[in-house]
Amino acid sequence: MDFSAQSNISFIKQKIDDLERMTDQDNPYTRIVFSEKFYEARSWLKNEYQKLGLKASTDEAGNLIGILNSKTDTDKIVIIGSHIDTVPSGGRFDGIAGVVAALCVVKYINENNINLPFNLAIYDYLGEELNDWSISCIGTRGLIGALNEDILSRSNSSGNILKDEIDKIGGNSKSLTKPFSMIKNIVACLELHIEQGKVLEQKKIDIGVVRSIPSISRFSVEVNGQAGHSGTILMDQRADALVTSSEIITFVNKLALRLSKESNQHFVSTIGKINVHPNAAAIIPGKVEMTIDLRASSKSSREQYINELEKQIDAMNQSGSCKIEMRNIAFAPYVEMDKELVKLFKISSDECGFSNIIMDSGAGHDTAHLSRVAPASMIFVPCKDGLSHCPEEYAEISDISKGTAVLFKMVEKLASSSQN
Ligand code: GLV
Ligand code: MN
Ligand code: MN
């Protein structure tokens, strides 16, 4: 097995370059779920599946699947998946590296005429990134039955309803309220991803074997004040929604900083999205909408954060001139990866001769949702300066190819344990 062979390096590079071109031209590298560029990338990927002899299909949750059927008659399935959608001005590797690595594993299996005792499926999970419907991991939430009517009927800022978009891309939103029956056939869900942090690069380690993924909570905050003339309403007569919002932003940042120090586990919180209305220089801001993103490995720190934030908002509602409303809009629990698969990934990395560590993820991933219903595990490869969710995101192809070798080794190990 030689994934550093020039043919594999060139294959991985070529596919990443191909996807890189499918971006909003004015805003690289942007390929938002359901956008025109996303549809273009989906047909590209379907064609890649077909070139590798995979049977391509879209499941009810809109995941694009390519299946390499075993010559042995079996329902068992090993999934290697990630995502090809991006955040706005996102990167060229987040999700993409994992899908391309999966293609390369299948290319290698084909070239070496390997028959597996299970079906091997590549999944492009639908809409992993947080989108305008305020929900991430649409495809994997759908697969495990975690999309409810409230989420499916949400409209985005253009008035498009999420379930209509899922149906348009080939899914079937009506069937998404219960887990898929194929889950019982899953032997393992595997994912390669760039680390999106600095640990591997700083320690000069090839592979991070992921042990846990933190909980993710998202809250919408609406602050209602009173719009008015910026020249005539005196400073002590105002209900400025943006000024009140700035107090919340500072409070959230300080609270998260304190709790991250008190908790020995991963704890971060961000307000990265804010809409100001009417957003005009000569008008006092009348309304602000913000989204709070909270990632926590510790349940008690998460609860403490929510508690203190709610108290603060109550106090501000009592004493301030604006009305603040906070709503929970999305939640994914803290999860641990399957212990056997973690062990096997570590052994696979060792056998490939790559340095590795067991580590915790800071980001959310589709594998987190899948791990709630099936054995699942993932590996990280280093990325430059830990940068991700920005155009500067970069990973060396040679590092991705090492991760790809580990993925293949893992498939080989699962094959030999399935046969025993
Ligand atoms: C996924 O990209 C996340 O927001 O963690
Ligand atoms: Mn990702
Ligand atoms: Mn991402």
Side-chain angles (χ1 to χ4, degrees):
M1 176 193 34
D2 187 6
F3 276 90
S4 61
Q6 196 49 46
S7 63
N8 292 325
I9 300 266
S10 320
F11 178 90
I12 294 171
K13 179 163 179 359
Q14 180 64 53
K15 303 307 166 198
I16 289 176
D17 289 352
D18 285 352
L19 277 166
E20 174 181 318
R21 282 191 288 275
M22 294 169 222
T23 169
D24 288 0
Q25 292 309 323
D26 300 340
N27 209 11
Y29 300 91
T30 304
R31 192 168 48 251
I32 307 284
V33 67
F34 305 126
S35 66
E36 193 189 318
K37 291 294 166 189
F38 182 75
Y39 268 88
E40 187 184 331
R42 275 267 168 122
S43 22
W44 172 88
L45 184 58
K46 188 171 174 196
N47 190 43
E48 291 299 316
Y49 285 169
Q50 285 162 347
K51 283 198 287 187
L52 288 169
L54 304 181
K55 188 165 158 279
S57 62
T58 304
D59 71 10
E60 287 89 339
N63 300 304
L64 182 61
I65 307 168
I67 298 202
L68 179 68
N69 278 316
S70 169
K71 293 192 186 86
T72 320
D73 185 25
T74 179
D75 288 331
K76 286 204 180 126
I77 187 163
V78 168
I79 294 176
I80 310 181
S82 203
H83 61 98
I84 60 167
D85 67 317
T86 72
V87 291
S89 307
R92 292 173 286 163
F93 299 88
D94 172 358
I96 290 117
V99 172
V100 169
L103 293 171
C104 192
V105 166
V106 171
K107 166 179 145 347
Y108 185 86
I109 288 172
N110 283 345
E111 286 168 354
N112 292 279
N113 285 320
I114 297 165
N115 183 36
L116 298 169
F118 40 70
N119 304 313
L120 182 68
I122 304 180
Y123 270 61
D124 167 34
Y125 300 122
L126 180 69
E128 189 267 358
E129 300 289 5
L130 186 62
N131 49 49
D132 209 8
W133 291 269
S134 298
I135 192 82
S136 57
C137 301
I138 299 170
T140 41
R141 284 184 206 262
L143 206 153
I144 70 164
L147 289 177
N148 56 35
E149 190 52 31
D150 167 52
I151 299 171
L152 289 165
S153 339
R154 285 184 193 167
S155 297
N156 71 353
S157 51
S158 315
N160 299 329
I161 297 170
L162 179 59
K163 59 182 164 190
D164 294 346
E165 297 293 325
I166 294 174
D167 293 340
K168 205 159 78 194
I169 209 156
N172 178 8
S173 58
K174 285 195 185 66
S175 63
L176 292 183
T177 43
K178 55 180 190 316
F180 288 13
S181 58
M182 56 74 69
I183 286 172
K184 64 181 184 310
N185 301 324
I186 297 177
V187 175
C189 300
L190 310 175
E191 180 171 9
L192 173 151
H193 205 282
I194 59 166
E195 183 204 334
Q196 308 180 277
K198 299 182 181 180
V199 174
L200 296 176
E201 187 182 50
Q202 284 183 348
K203 292 186 192 274
K204 297 195 179 0
I205 301 267
D206 299 317
I207 303 290
V209 179
V210 177
R211 172 176 45 201
S212 75
I213 301 180
S215 71
I216 305 184
S217 315
R218 297 210 174 85
F219 306 93
S220 68
V221 178
E222 191 174 301
V223 181
N224 280 292
Q226 178 59 59
H229 198 297
S230 68
T232 56
I233 310 287
L234 301 182
M235 296 312 287
D236 61 356
Q237 298 168 341
R238 296 182 176 206
D240 184 327
L242 187 55
V243 172
T244 300
S245 302
S246 72
E247 285 172 39
I248 299 172
I249 294 168
T250 308
F251 180 86
V252 158
N253 186 262
K254 288 205 171 118
L255 176 63
L257 190 64
R258 197 190 89 224
L259 292 177
S260 72
K261 284 184 185 145
E262 286 171 16
S263 154
N264 284 327
Q265 291 167 282
H266 190 71
F267 192 96
V268 289
S269 183
T270 310
I271 296 184
K273 185 174 184 208
I274 172 161
N275 292 324
V276 181
H277 302 275
N279 204 16
I283 305 177
I284 297 162
K287 176 172 157 180
V288 169
E289 293 148 336
M290 309 187 279
T291 308
I292 300 180
D293 175 293
L294 165 67
R295 323 278 179 124
S297 297
S298 145
K299 187 164 178 250
S300 63
S301 302
R302 176 180 168 272
E303 284 171 356
Q304 194 176 342
Y305 171 98
I306 295 172
N307 205 288
E308 291 194 31
L309 180 57
E310 281 175 348
K311 272 202 191 124
Q312 172 70 9
I313 287 178
D314 280 351
M316 289 173 76
N317 271 333
Q318 300 287 324
S319 61
S321 51
C322 293
K323 171 105 188 57
I324 308 159
E325 259 181 275
M326 180 166 108
R327 248 178 9 103
N328 187 339
I329 49 173
F331 178 64
Y334 165 84
V335 289
E336 290 183 359
M337 302 289 92
D338 182 86
K339 290 195 173 42
E340 278 311 304
L341 292 181
V342 169
K343 226 188 280 169
L344 269 193
F345 254 141
K346 168 134 188 56
I347 295 170
S348 300
S349 308
D350 287 340
E351 287 184 9
C352 288
F354 301 142
S355 55
N356 56 78
I357 47 167
I358 309 273
M359 62 185 293
D360 300 304
S361 172
H365 296 284
D366 287 303
T367 299
H369 295 281
L370 298 168
S371 71
R372 293 156 67 186
V373 298
S377 178
M378 64 190 298
I379 50 169
F380 287 157
V381 297
C383 62
K384 193 167 180 316
D385 301 327
L387 289 174
S388 184
H389 281 193
C390 57
E392 294 82 8
E393 181 181 277
Y394 183 75
E396 295 291 345
I397 304 297
S398 54
D399 287 338
I400 299 173
S401 89
K402 286 180 184 168
T404 309
V406 175
L407 264 187
F408 172 73
K409 185 60 125 183
M410 184 72 172
V411 170
E412 210 177 33
K413 293 212 163 298
L414 291 169
S416 54
S417 52
S418 288
Q419 267 153 352
N420 294 336

